[in-house]
Amino acid sequence: MADTHSNAGAIWALGVTQIIGYGTLYYSFSILAPVIAIDLSVAVEWVYGCISLALLAGGLISPWAGGLADRHGAGQVMSLGSIGAAIALAVCALAGDMFMFLAGMILVELASAFVLYSTAFAFLAQTTGSRAQRSITYLTLIAGFASTIFWPLTSWMLGSLEWHQVYFVFAILNLVVCLPLHLWLSRFARIAAARPVEAVATQPPMSVDNRNFVFILIVLGFSLAGFVSAATLFHMVPMLGLLGLGAAGIWVASLLGPAQVASRLINMAFGKDVSASVLAVVSAVSMPLALGTLALSAPSTFGAAAFAIIFGLGSGLFSIVSGTLPLAIFGKDGFGKRLGWIGLGRLGLSALAPFALSVALGAIGPKPSLWILAVAGLLCVVVFAEVWRRCRPLGQKVLAVNEPTSPVLRQG
């Protein structure tokens, strides 16, 4: 019982840091970008070009960050990441030209590799044992409120503060809230490491010969999903404005967070026996479905709300699957580094998304741009459908997720 309570405390602490992390390092950018472009006297496409370069830098460092989490513990890595996030946001706040802002954004994405989901999932795999997959679901349930909180909060702050000051506030949040929580989580991890080792093991649900190719498919699938997600989320509020939603766009976009949470609640209640590969297919289908709904219904507020809800439902499942799918297939060993390689592929392709969609919105308009994203979403469906097909022969029934396979289980 004590372990259960301490695990719950760790998940809640991680949830708070993920809300602040995603809110300050990721979601706030789409609100701040137009103001930054005006203040720095550059086209908004150049501001999105900065985030594209920064995402690429974050992707390149992800495998290294994951390896550090495996070797030294994810809690310590996140503690250092909190300091890095505060410094990065302070650099953004001090930026007086595009070059310094670009430097700040690169630092933001480098810090993100140490504090966001990949490292948080590695922490749960290291500390919650056979409950890791369930713990990941609980964490994503809490963190799903990041966009709901930080899109309106950032807009409200811009009403009385300059964007420089907003970034200073965000830096302080990472330093005075996230850092102490991550330091406490580091201590929690040391206590968890002293617990008795569970006498259970994981059996990968597919033949060893296929695992490398399946991992390549998984990286490709998450890369395509990351491209569509980054393009949509970074441009959601301004894109809804271009489609005629006006001021209602930000409140429509805020439906994304509750939808993410709802999908995770549904998964918790009814998805216990649903394999991670099936959830990956379902979440992938939601992307072209949502984007097609928006393209066909705009400028209907009802259609835009349906888009935000459907996209949010899929995004919520993707957050779970990004941790549970590789964990279910490959187990705990090297989990952090494996997530890092997935992050490299995802962020590498995502790096193109904000700038590419910004250019597309100006060149061909919002509706054709939405259809292009929908096609990328369909490709993602095809990839995860193949992962699911290759996982089917032995199923996805995982005995446990935290210890190396015993000789008895290998033979049986």
Side-chain angles (χ1 to χ4, degrees):
M1 183 65 71
D3 280 355
T4 301
H5 288 159
S6 60
N7 286 343
I11 293 168
W12 276 105
L14 271 180
V16 171
T17 67
Q18 293 305 291
I19 287 174
I20 294 174
Y22 272 100
T24 60
L25 302 173
Y26 192 83
Y27 287 115
S28 62
F29 184 82
S30 64
I31 307 297
L32 296 172
V35 181
I36 293 170
I38 293 171
D39 189 58
L40 298 181
S41 301
V42 296
V44 72
E45 289 83 1
W46 288 106
V47 179
Y48 281 103
C50 288
I51 193 63
S52 292
L53 290 173
L55 285 170
L56 180 59
L60 291 173
I61 203 176
S62 289
W64 183 64
L68 287 178
D70 287 334
R71 291 192 301 273
H72 303 292
Q76 293 186 44
V77 170
M78 288 188 292
S79 298
L80 291 174
S82 293
I83 298 172
I87 293 172
L89 290 165
V91 172
C92 290
L94 294 170
D97 55 48
M98 280 300 298
F99 294 105
M100 189 170 180
F101 182 73
L102 172 60
M105 290 309 303
I106 290 174
L107 290 175
V108 162
E109 290 304 320
L110 294 178
S112 296
F114 291 85
V115 296
L116 297 183
Y117 270 157
S118 292
T119 312
F121 291 163
F123 176 87
L124 293 176
Q126 292 167 2
T127 58
T128 60
S130 58
R131 296 179 294 274
Q133 293 196 55
R134 204 71 178 153
S135 298
I136 287 172
T137 303
Y138 290 138
L139 174 61
T140 58
L141 174 64
I142 300 168
F145 288 102
S147 61
T148 302
I149 293 172
F150 272 87
W151 272 334
L153 177 62
T154 305
S155 295
W156 175 77
M157 291 173 69
L158 280 177
S160 55
L161 301 174
E162 296 181 355
W163 66 270
H164 300 275
Q165 296 169 321
V166 172
Y167 270 125
F168 270 126
V169 173
F170 288 167
I172 292 169
L173 281 176
N174 279 272
L175 200 59
V176 304
V177 179
C178 295
L179 177 58
L181 288 174
H182 286 151
L183 290 171
W184 176 79
L185 287 168
S186 298
R187 179 175 176 275
F188 172 85
R190 290 193 293 270
I191 295 171
R195 296 173 185 166
V197 177
E198 298 177 53
V200 290
T202 301
Q203 183 176 2
M206 62 187 65
S207 66
V208 176
D209 292 340
N210 290 334
R211 291 173 72 192
N212 288 338
F213 181 65
V214 169
F215 183 66
I216 292 172
L217 288 176
I218 289 173
V219 172
L220 177 60
F222 283 122
S223 298
L224 288 167
F227 177 86
V228 176
S229 179
T232 304
L233 293 177
F234 275 114
H235 287 278
M236 181 175 284
V237 175
M239 184 167 59
L240 290 173
L242 290 174
L243 289 168
L245 272 294
I250 189 168
W251 301 110
V252 169
S254 295
L255 294 172
L256 182 81
Q260 289 176 325
V261 173
S263 69
R264 293 158 187 166
L265 286 172
I266 293 169
N267 179 62
M268 287 171 59
F270 305 106
K272 293 179 181 178
D273 298 322
V274 180
S275 70
S277 58
V278 170
L279 287 178
V281 175
V282 172
S283 52
V285 168
S286 71
M287 293 190 301
L289 179 61
L291 292 164
T293 298
L294 181 60
L296 292 172
S297 65
S300 166
T301 303
F302 177 80
F307 149 75
I309 291 170
I310 296 170
F311 198 90
L313 289 171
S315 178
L317 289 179
F318 254 125
S319 297
I320 298 171
V321 171
S322 64
T324 59
L325 183 60
L327 187 60
I329 295 174
F330 304 105
K332 172 186 171 182
D333 291 342
F335 181 56
K337 192 165 188 177
R338 196 167 280 115
L339 287 181
W341 282 109
I342 292 173
L344 172 58
R346 178 176 56 84
L347 292 174
L349 196 53
S350 297
L352 301 173
F355 182 70
L357 185 58
S358 181
V359 172
L361 288 171
I364 61 177
K367 288 192 177 182
S369 300
L370 287 171
W371 287 118
I372 292 173
L373 287 178
V375 171
L378 287 173
L379 291 175
C380 182
V381 174
V382 172
V383 171
F384 279 118
E386 178 62 13
V387 172
W388 172 70
R389 187 186 71 82
R390 289 176 176 271
C391 288
R392 289 181 66 191
L394 291 177
Q396 287 257 2
K397 203 160 194 177
V398 179
L399 300 178
V401 295
N402 70 311
E403 301 301 332
T405 306
S406 70
V408 174
L409 285 174
R410 286 196 186 99
Q411 295 168 6

